[in-house]
Amino acid sequence: MSLYYSLVFGVLVFEVVIFSILALPIPTRLRKPLTLVLLRPFQNDIIQITIKCVLGFILLLFLDTINKVYNIDRELQAASSANTKGGGVYSQDRIEVLSRKFFAQRNMYLTGMTLFLTFTVARTFGLVQELLQLKDKYRKESPKFDTKQDEAVNAKRKDELEQEIKEKDLEIARLKEKAEALQKEM
Protein backbone atom coordinates (compact mmCIF):
# COMPACT_ATOMS: atom_id res chain seq x y z
CA MET A 1 0.00 0.00 0.00
CA SER A 2 1.42 3.34 -0.97
CA LEU A 3 2.08 6.13 1.51
CA TYR A 4 -1.05 8.13 0.78
CA TYR A 5 -3.32 5.11 1.14
CA SER A 6 -1.56 4.31 4.42
CA LEU A 7 -2.38 7.85 5.56
CA VAL A 8 -6.00 7.39 4.44
CA PHE A 9 -6.11 4.19 6.48
CA GLY A 10 -4.76 6.12 9.49
CA VAL A 11 -7.53 8.71 9.03
CA LEU A 12 -10.08 5.89 8.83
CA VAL A 13 -8.83 4.32 12.08
CA PHE A 14 -8.91 7.72 13.80
CA GLU A 15 -12.51 8.26 12.64
CA VAL A 16 -13.53 4.79 13.86
CA VAL A 17 -12.09 5.55 17.30
CA ILE A 18 -13.85 8.93 17.48
CA PHE A 19 -17.15 7.43 16.31
CA SER A 20 -16.87 4.61 18.86
CA ILE A 21 -16.29 7.09 21.67
CA LEU A 22 -19.26 9.21 20.58
CA ALA A 23 -21.56 6.20 20.17
CA LEU A 24 -20.82 4.59 23.54
CA PRO A 25 -23.58 4.91 26.15
CA ILE A 26 -21.63 7.07 28.58
CA PRO A 27 -23.32 8.95 31.45
CA THR A 28 -23.88 12.64 30.79
CA ARG A 29 -21.51 13.79 33.52
CA LEU A 30 -18.66 11.99 31.68
CA ARG A 31 -19.90 12.55 28.12
CA LYS A 32 -20.02 16.34 28.33
CA PRO A 33 -16.34 16.87 29.31
CA LEU A 34 -15.25 14.15 26.88
CA THR A 35 -17.16 15.81 24.04
CA LEU A 36 -15.68 19.19 24.89
CA VAL A 37 -12.16 17.71 24.89
CA LEU A 38 -12.79 16.12 21.49
CA LEU A 39 -14.27 19.36 20.11
CA ARG A 40 -11.53 21.74 21.27
CA PRO A 41 -8.90 20.91 18.59
CA PHE A 42 -11.45 21.08 15.76
CA GLN A 43 -12.46 24.65 16.65
CA ASN A 44 -9.10 25.97 15.43
CA ASP A 45 -9.32 27.56 11.96
CA ILE A 46 -6.00 26.11 10.79
CA ILE A 47 -7.07 22.58 11.73
CA GLN A 48 -10.43 23.04 9.98
CA ILE A 49 -8.71 24.16 6.77
CA THR A 50 -6.29 21.23 7.04
CA ILE A 51 -9.16 18.77 7.50
CA LYS A 52 -10.98 20.18 4.48
CA CYS A 53 -7.82 19.87 2.35
CA VAL A 54 -7.23 16.29 3.50
CA LEU A 55 -10.84 15.38 2.72
CA GLY A 56 -10.47 17.01 -0.70
CA PHE A 57 -7.41 14.87 -1.43
CA ILE A 58 -9.24 11.75 -0.21
CA LEU A 59 -12.13 12.63 -2.53
CA LEU A 60 -9.67 12.96 -5.43
CA LEU A 61 -8.16 9.57 -4.53
CA PHE A 62 -11.66 8.09 -4.43
CA LEU A 63 -12.50 9.43 -7.89
CA ASP A 64 -9.13 8.20 -9.19
CA THR A 65 -9.74 4.69 -7.86
CA ILE A 66 -13.21 4.61 -9.44
CA ASN A 67 -11.57 5.54 -12.76
CA LYS A 68 -8.92 2.83 -12.31
CA VAL A 69 -11.52 0.15 -11.53
CA TYR A 70 -13.51 1.17 -14.60
CA ASN A 71 -10.41 1.06 -16.84
CA ILE A 72 -9.36 -2.34 -15.50
CA ASP A 73 -12.86 -3.71 -16.09
CA ARG A 74 -12.71 -2.48 -19.69
CA GLU A 75 -9.29 -4.10 -20.06
CA LEU A 76 -10.62 -7.42 -18.73
CA GLN A 77 -13.62 -7.27 -21.06
CA ALA A 78 -11.36 -6.53 -24.01
CA ALA A 79 -9.11 -9.41 -23.07
CA SER A 80 -12.02 -11.83 -22.69
CA SER A 81 -13.52 -10.76 -26.03
CA ALA A 82 -10.10 -11.19 -27.72
CA ASN A 83 -9.82 -14.61 -26.08
CA THR A 84 -13.16 -15.71 -27.52
CA LYS A 85 -12.19 -14.50 -31.02
CA GLY A 86 -9.19 -16.76 -31.10
CA GLY A 87 -6.57 -14.43 -29.65
CA GLY A 88 -4.67 -15.85 -26.73
CA VAL A 89 -4.33 -14.19 -23.38
CA TYR A 90 -1.78 -15.74 -21.12
CA SER A 91 -2.97 -16.71 -17.67
CA GLN A 92 -0.11 -14.73 -16.14
CA ASP A 93 -1.41 -11.55 -17.78
CA ARG A 94 -4.92 -12.27 -16.51
CA ILE A 95 -3.63 -12.80 -12.98
CA GLU A 96 -1.75 -9.51 -13.12
CA VAL A 97 -4.88 -7.65 -14.31
CA LEU A 98 -7.03 -9.27 -11.62
CA SER A 99 -4.42 -8.34 -9.04
CA ARG A 100 -4.51 -4.71 -10.16
CA LYS A 101 -8.31 -4.84 -10.04
CA PHE A 102 -8.20 -6.15 -6.47
CA PHE A 103 -5.88 -3.35 -5.33
CA ALA A 104 -7.92 -0.71 -7.12
CA GLN A 105 -11.14 -1.98 -5.50
CA ARG A 106 -9.47 -2.13 -2.09
CA ASN A 107 -8.34 1.47 -2.45
CA MET A 108 -11.79 2.51 -3.66
CA TYR A 109 -13.48 0.96 -0.60
CA LEU A 110 -10.86 2.42 1.72
CA THR A 111 -11.29 5.97 0.46
CA GLY A 112 -15.07 5.64 0.13
CA MET A 113 -15.51 4.38 3.68
CA THR A 114 -13.23 7.13 4.97
CA LEU A 115 -15.37 9.80 3.30
CA PHE A 116 -18.60 8.18 4.48
CA LEU A 117 -17.36 7.86 8.06
CA THR A 118 -16.24 11.50 8.02
CA PHE A 119 -19.80 12.64 7.41
CA THR A 120 -21.17 10.10 9.87
CA VAL A 121 -18.82 11.28 12.64
CA ALA A 122 -19.70 14.92 11.95
CA ARG A 123 -23.43 14.18 12.15
CA THR A 124 -23.05 12.03 15.27
CA PHE A 125 -21.02 14.75 16.92
CA GLY A 126 -23.77 17.27 16.14
CA LEU A 127 -26.41 14.94 17.57
CA VAL A 128 -24.42 14.42 20.77
CA GLN A 129 -24.03 18.17 21.21
CA GLU A 130 -27.76 18.68 20.66
CA LEU A 131 -28.56 15.94 23.16
CA LEU A 132 -26.33 17.53 25.79
CA GLN A 133 -27.92 20.95 25.20
CA LEU A 134 -31.42 19.51 25.52
CA LYS A 135 -30.48 17.72 28.74
CA ASP A 136 -29.10 20.95 30.20
CA LYS A 137 -32.25 22.82 29.17
CA TYR A 138 -34.46 20.13 30.72
CA ARG A 139 -32.51 20.21 33.97
CA LYS A 140 -32.86 23.99 34.21
CA GLU A 141 -36.61 23.90 33.54
CA SER A 142 -37.53 20.92 35.71
CA PRO A 143 -38.72 21.82 39.23
CA LYS A 144 -36.42 20.88 42.06
CA PHE A 145 -37.59 20.25 45.60
CA ASP A 146 -35.73 20.74 48.81
CA THR A 147 -35.26 17.60 50.82
CA LYS A 148 -37.39 19.16 53.58
CA GLN A 149 -40.15 19.86 51.05
CA ASP A 150 -39.82 16.32 49.70
CA GLU A 151 -40.16 14.90 53.19
CA ALA A 152 -43.22 17.05 53.88
CA VAL A 153 -44.84 16.04 50.57
CA ASN A 154 -44.04 12.38 51.20
CA ALA A 155 -45.47 12.52 54.77
CA LYS A 156 -48.65 14.20 53.52
CA ARG A 157 -49.04 11.62 50.74
CA LYS A 158 -48.46 8.81 53.24
CA ASP A 159 -51.21 10.15 55.52
CA GLU A 160 -53.60 10.41 52.55
CA LEU A 161 -52.87 6.83 51.50
CA GLU A 162 -53.35 5.53 55.05
CA GLN A 163 -56.71 7.33 55.25
CA GLU A 164 -57.75 5.77 51.91
CA ILE A 165 -56.77 2.32 53.18
CA LYS A 166 -58.88 2.77 56.33
CA GLU A 167 -61.88 3.87 54.24
CA LYS A 168 -61.52 0.88 51.92
CA ASP A 169 -61.22 -1.49 54.91
CA LEU A 170 -64.45 -0.07 56.37
CA GLU A 171 -66.21 -0.48 53.03
CA ILE A 172 -64.98 -4.08 52.74
CA ALA A 173 -66.25 -4.85 56.24
CA ARG A 174 -69.64 -3.28 55.43
CA LEU A 175 -69.93 -5.28 52.18
CA LYS A 176 -69.04 -8.51 54.01
CA GLU A 177 -71.80 -7.88 56.58
CA LYS A 178 -74.25 -7.17 53.79
CA ALA A 179 -73.23 -10.39 51.97
CA GLU A 180 -73.70 -12.40 55.20
CA ALA A 181 -77.13 -10.87 55.76
CA LEU A 182 -78.18 -11.72 52.20
CA GLN A 183 -76.88 -15.23 52.63
CA LYS A 184 -78.94 -15.72 55.83
CA GLU A 185 -82.08 -14.51 54.04
CA MET A 186 -81.68 -17.16 51.35
Side-chain angles (χ1 to χ4, degrees), residues 82-101:
N83 194 15
T84 58
K85 293 180 182 177
V89 175
Y90 295 107
S91 63
Q92 191 67 20
D93 291 339
R94 181 167 171 78
I95 291 172
E96 189 267 331
V97 171
L98 289 174
S99 175
R100 284 190 298 136
K101 181 178 179 181

Side-chain angles (χ1 to χ4, degrees), residues 51-64:
I51 289 171
K52 289 176 184 175
C53 290
V54 167
L55 290 177
F57 288 129
I58 292 174
L59 179 64
L60 288 174
L61 288 173
F62 179 67
L63 296 174
D64 183 51

Side-chain angles (χ1 to χ4, degrees), residues 79-129:
S80 65
S81 66
N83 194 15
T84 58
K85 293 180 182 177
V89 175
Y90 295 107
S91 63
Q92 191 67 20
D93 291 339
R94 181 167 171 78
I95 291 172
E96 189 267 331
V97 171
L98 289 174
S99 175
R100 284 190 298 136
K101 181 178 179 181
F102 167 76
F103 289 123
Q105 286 177 341
R106 177 202 61 189
N107 294 339
M108 181 179 66
Y109 291 127
L110 176 68
T111 54
M113 284 305 298
T114 303
L115 289 172
F116 175 75
L117 197 56
T118 300
F119 299 119
T120 304
V121 167
R123 183 67 184 136
T124 304
F125 191 76
L127 289 173
V128 168
Q129 279 186 316

